[in-house]
Amino acid sequence: MPDITIRGAGIFGLSIAWTAVQRGAQVRIIDPAGPASGASGGILGALAPHVPENWNDKKAFQLDSLLMAEAFWAGIEAAGGSSSGYARNGRLQPVADMGARDLAAMRAANAADLWHGRAQWRLRSAADVGPWCPVTPTGQVIEDTLSAQIHPQRACAALVAALGARGVAVLAEGADSGQVVHATGWRDLDRIGRQLGIAYGSGVKGQAALLRYDAGRGRAQIFAGGLHIVAHGDGTVAVGSTSERDWSDPSTTDGQLDALIAGAREALPVLGDAPVVGRWAGIRPRARSRAPVLGPHPLHKGQFIANGGFKIGFGMAPKVARVMADLVLEGIDAIPEGFHASSLLPPRSG
């Protein structure tokens, strides 16, 4: 009989399953829609850090997870023989004016301390970067060497392959056995809020596009004008994403994505004639706190929740998987207070 039943085969559910299997646990994964059927089946895959300032437990958690990612994905790829598309190629951002340059210099000093010498935040001349560089009014860009990228669909497929090599399959149905973890996305957040009569979390729609452009391997991701541009190294470039609180159809794309594509072409002129070869839309789970939701499930006594990945789920997944395995398998609670599922509940009276 399984030690853990995980409901949901998105990035959180699959990552927790992999970490638990690595510790010798028997795991059952159940998802009626199959792996990566929700937000985890996207195309963007920008793994970017918070800015190095106003440091707190949440930012430290994300730093740990981003630094864990290379070994985490390498182990998965070795076990299952499938590529995740992971690469730590860094990120470039334009510097709009002298004030932004001064701020970047301050953050560079902060990063030297807060990132413990494991990565850098620095100013560079755009002329030294080459054509794969965003338009920048000052002629300078911010480069950080902590940002990485991944191909979400391939990453989930790599996890499924690695788990399959350990004898764990994703089942369409099955009974709960052992400890139970719910990693079922935005609908669970919405259900918690409705049943408890509180604002707990919801689904936020995102749209992204895939362009045909061979940028080559090792290209930094671009963050400009509020959008991400990620060269996947396979002759495609992903652009995303919108953030829509109000939506009616979860899977359609529209003029908002067209505007985003136009913005990407403007920010990175080498994409000017790149044809659009894919359009994607999905609903991402956003907790009221904008942080992951981890720990005891608010509605299922004795069971657990891992949810709320929103825009940072893939970047947070390695450490989310570690702390959830600690909690579920060993009873060790290393979850930051702001990530606890209980932190979104109203305080108990009396």
Side-chain angles (χ1 to χ4, degrees):
M1 298 297 288
D3 301 307
I4 305 176
T5 299
I6 297 175
R7 292 200 167 268
I11 183 58
F12 278 3
L14 292 171
S15 296
I16 295 166
W18 172 249
T19 300
V21 166
Q22 291 292 97
R23 297 189 187 186
Q26 298 294 315
V27 178
R28 173 181 291 164
I29 310 170
I30 302 170
D31 194 320
S37 58
S40 296
I43 58 176
L44 186 60
L47 313 183
H50 293 295
V51 295
E53 63 185 26
N54 301 321
W55 206 243
N56 55 38
D57 289 345
K58 295 180 184 180
K59 292 185 177 185
F61 186 102
Q62 187 204 41
L63 172 64
D64 289 346
S65 193
L66 291 173
L67 292 174
M68 292 167 59
E70 185 171 9
F72 181 80
W73 289 107
I76 289 163
E77 291 175 355
S82 295
S83 171
S84 66
Y86 174 84
R88 186 172 154 185
N89 294 332
R91 176 180 58 171
L92 299 172
Q93 304 178 66
V95 179
D97 52 36
M98 301 306 287
R101 189 186 68 175
D102 291 343
L103 181 60
M106 180 195 73
R107 288 172 172 169
N110 289 347
D113 177 39
L114 297 170
W115 291 356
H116 313 302
R118 303 286 300 278
Q120 292 181 308
W121 181 289
R122 60 197 179 197
L123 285 163
R124 289 188 64 186
S125 168
D128 294 337
V129 174
W132 186 259
C133 184
V135 172
T136 175
T138 62
Q140 290 186 302
V141 292
I142 301 162
E143 180 185 50
D144 83 74
T145 62
L146 180 57
S147 291
Q149 62 194 63
I150 204 161
H151 193 295
Q153 295 172 0
R154 293 176 193 162
C156 289
L159 273 162
V160 170
L163 286 161
R166 298 293 192 271
V168 180
V170 177
L171 307 176
E173 57 184 21
D176 292 339
S177 180
Q179 303 278 35
V180 180
V181 179
H182 297 262
T184 52
W186 73 271
R187 289 183 177 84
D188 199 23
L189 296 180
D190 181 68
R191 182 171 62 93
I192 292 168
R194 286 187 287 104
Q195 291 198 22
L196 298 180
I198 60 173
Y200 196 84
S202 62
V204 176
K205 183 176 179 178
Q207 299 182 46
L210 203 62
L211 281 59
R212 178 65 63 188
Y213 181 83
D214 190 359
R217 294 184 178 275
R219 296 298 185 187
Q221 64 180 272
I222 307 294
F223 182 65
L227 59 88
H228 296 272
I229 303 171
V230 178
H232 282 304
D234 61 356
T236 66
V237 174
V239 177
S241 61
T242 65
S243 190
E244 305 163 45
R245 297 280 192 99
D246 298 317
W247 48 270
S248 56
D249 190 321
S251 59
T252 58
T253 61
D254 55 32
Q256 295 181 77
L257 183 55
D258 295 331
L260 189 147
I261 295 167
R265 298 188 196 280
E266 182 178 355
L268 190 60
V270 295
L271 298 179
D273 297 323
V276 178
V277 294
R279 297 166 71 95
W280 179 87
I283 309 301
R284 299 161 298 180
R286 180 191 184 277
R288 190 182 75 232
S289 63
R290 294 176 61 92
V293 177
L294 311 174
H297 198 291
L299 299 182
H300 301 290
K301 187 175 181 180
Q303 299 182 4
F304 302 90
I305 186 171
N307 207 322
F310 193 35
K311 298 179 180 181
I312 57 174
F314 279 83
M316 288 289 203
K319 190 159 185 182
V320 164
R322 174 183 289 181
V323 298
M324 287 301 296
D326 287 344
L327 181 63
V328 175
L329 294 175
E330 303 176 41
I332 299 171
D333 187 347
I335 300 169
E337 180 58 34
F339 290 13
H340 262 284
S342 60
S343 69
L344 297 174
L345 301 177
R348 294 181 179 180
S349 59

